[in-house]
Amino acid sequence: MKLHFWALAALTLANTHALAAAPGETCVRDLRAITPFLLENDTGARAHLAQKGQAYFDLALATATTAAASAADDKACNAILGNYLGMWRKSHLYVKPGSVQEIAKPAPARPNVASQAAPSKEPALQILSDATVLLSLPSFHDPYRAAVAALLDTHRAVLAARPNWIIDVRRNAGGSDSTYAPLLQWISSDEMVSVGAEWLSTPANIASQEKICALVAPGDQDCIDFATQAVKQMRTVKPGDYVPQENDELISYARVSAQEPRRPTRVAVLMDSECASSCEEFLLAARQSFHVKLIGRNSEGALDYSNLRLHALPSGVRELQYATSRSARLPHLQVDLGGIMPDIYLPPPKDEAGRAQEIVRVQRWLEGGTLRPNNI
């Protein structure tokens, strides 16, 4: 009888654990942990709450809770949580499957199929004519920082000899501002106005800054210096307060150092709705030049709240990726509402051939012709 009692107790405990590990219950637990964490640590959450109202988020949470309770597996839960985060803002707020370590490590290489090869993210230069050159910059992520600088340095004579540049940042999802920094020496006018950002100081945000480089860029001294400065700044104020990223001047006026002696006279930046984050920061910098025109479609609108960091949710099977900084442009110049507008609008191309034709049209325009399709 005693043996039967302990066996029954063990069975009951096992059943309890099984129930606790049910996908629906785990999903609801992660969902309920998101809102209080966002309101304390995410730089946009309080502003979103004020803009949209408590009733809006109460309904969003109730709807998500019902859906989460019925989640059949982790994949379904991830989609539900992602939809809920989209009610807060459309970008720079995500749920990532896996642990912090799993998310941070590089994805395993997959064999390429010729017809399905992923487009390269490496920067590239193409000479279109004696007057025009094309710079393709598909990414500003840290691994391409050295490649962008090397491209500009290696082809300095070619670039200096051509007065017309096309800079293609379509489908550039951003990365790091330091990746495009060498380009500004070529295309900027003498002075640039830079609007900085602020850190939200909380224990969780400080901890995430201390860990970020070891996770995403081991040994990268630029990352280490940046994160160290972030932690130093955050510790100068009490939890819950904002502090400038670098100094007390959120708006700076500076001359561009080491400008190239022979710079292009006409620069067209090709942009689209997939230009996001640091790509949008590049647009804001580039358009200050007297020689630059932005051409294409509105950018994505993913810049006001940045410097994403990871936070483990209770389940241990997914991470919340949230923003730890906000732009000092807010609330007067909000990029996230509709993205950055081009100076000259081009309708979205219907296919890849139409996308390639945009370069032909812009080259023709830079060289004195027309932007009209098919040169009509």
Side-chain angles (χ1 to χ4, degrees):
M1 185 70 179
K2 187 175 181 180
L3 180 62
H4 175 72
F5 171 79
W6 286 112
L8 182 62
L11 181 61
T12 302
L13 184 61
N15 288 338
T16 300
H17 287 169
L19 290 173
E25 186 171 342
T26 300
C27 192
V28 169
R29 189 162 63 247
D30 280 358
L31 174 65
R32 288 176 176 167
I34 287 175
T35 301
F37 183 85
L38 289 181
L39 290 174
E40 181 177 353
N41 300 285
D42 179 80
T43 47
R46 296 181 221 173
H48 302 327
L49 179 61
Q51 291 167 353
K52 299 179 180 181
Q54 188 65 54
Y56 170 89
F57 286 108
D58 286 345
L59 179 59
L61 181 59
T63 303
T65 300
T66 300
S70 302
D73 52 33
D74 289 338
K75 183 178 180 180
C77 180
N78 294 340
I80 293 165
L81 299 187
N83 288 337
Y84 175 67
L85 291 175
M87 303 298 285
W88 286 85
R89 65 172 175 269
K90 64 179 181 179
S91 61
H92 278 184
L93 188 58
Y94 313 106
V95 163
K96 299 287 187 180
S99 67
V100 172
Q101 290 76 14
E102 292 169 335
I103 293 171
K105 68 184 180 183
R110 292 179 296 180
N112 283 332
V113 179
S115 60
Q116 299 178 354
S120 173
K121 293 293 185 180
E122 292 286 340
L125 180 145
Q126 183 180 353
I127 299 172
L128 301 180
S129 71
D130 289 341
T132 307
V133 68
L134 169 66
L135 274 173
S136 298
L137 303 174
S139 176
F140 288 142
H141 280 282
D142 289 336
Y144 304 106
R145 184 191 309 145
V148 170
L151 184 73
L152 296 172
D153 185 57
T154 302
H155 300 283
R156 177 171 277 104
V158 170
L159 294 169
R162 284 159 178 81
N164 303 327
W165 286 22
I166 301 173
I167 301 176
D168 187 358
V169 293
R170 294 172 299 174
R171 296 177 178 168
N172 184 323
S176 173
D177 297 356
S178 61
T179 301
Y180 66 74
L183 189 56
L184 300 181
Q185 298 170 5
W186 286 90
I187 67 173
S188 298
S189 298
D190 289 342
E191 184 180 67
M192 290 195 63
V193 181
S194 299
V195 181
E198 300 173 295
W199 297 115
L200 173 58
S201 179
T202 69
N205 290 354
I206 290 173
S208 69
Q209 294 287 6
E210 291 174 331
K211 299 173 184 175
I212 188 64
C213 294
L215 290 170
V216 303
D220 187 325
Q221 193 59 47
D222 288 339
C223 179
I224 294 170
D225 292 344
F226 182 78
T228 300
Q229 176 65 18
V231 171
K232 180 181 178 181
Q233 287 293 99
M234 288 181 178
R235 293 193 187 280
T236 63
V237 297
K238 65 180 186 292
D241 283 355
Y242 283 89
V243 62
Q245 281 189 342
E246 296 179 2
N247 52 55
D248 293 334
E249 295 294 329
L250 287 171
I251 300 181
S252 62
Y253 304 81
R255 298 289 174 183
V256 178
S257 62
Q259 282 188 307
E260 292 292 331
R262 296 179 62 191
R263 302 189 295 278
T265 55
R266 308 178 90 186
V267 179
V269 177
L270 259 177
M271 55 185 281
D272 64 4
S273 61
E274 294 179 62
C275 173
S277 193
S278 286
C279 182
E280 293 174 299
E281 199 71 69
F282 170 70
L283 298 180
L284 293 178
R287 74 179 186 180
Q288 295 184 42
S289 172
F290 296 118
H291 311 291
V292 173
K293 288 290 184 181
L294 308 183
I295 302 179
R297 294 153 293 283
N298 281 31
S299 62
E300 180 176 328
L303 187 61
D304 294 340
Y305 307 100
S306 299
N307 285 289
L308 305 191
R309 300 295 181 257
L310 293 166
H311 169 69
L313 291 172
S315 66
V317 299
R318 60 185 65 90
E319 303 283 328
L320 176 67
Q321 194 172 28
Y322 69 102
T324 59
S325 69
R326 70 179 182 188
S327 171
R329 298 184 313 273
L330 301 175
H332 307 294
L333 179 59
Q334 299 183 51
V335 171
D336 289 6
L337 288 180
I340 297 168
M341 293 179 62
D343 297 307
I344 301 173
Y345 171 74
L346 294 180
K350 295 180 180 179
D351 50 31
E352 288 301 305
R355 185 172 181 271
Q357 189 65 22
E358 288 186 326
I359 295 174
V360 176
R361 294 167 63 185
V362 172
Q363 177 189 355
R364 190 168 60 226
W365 176 70
L366 287 172
E367 295 178 356
T370 178
L371 271 171
R372 291 176 182 273
N374 303 317
N375 201 17
I376 296 173

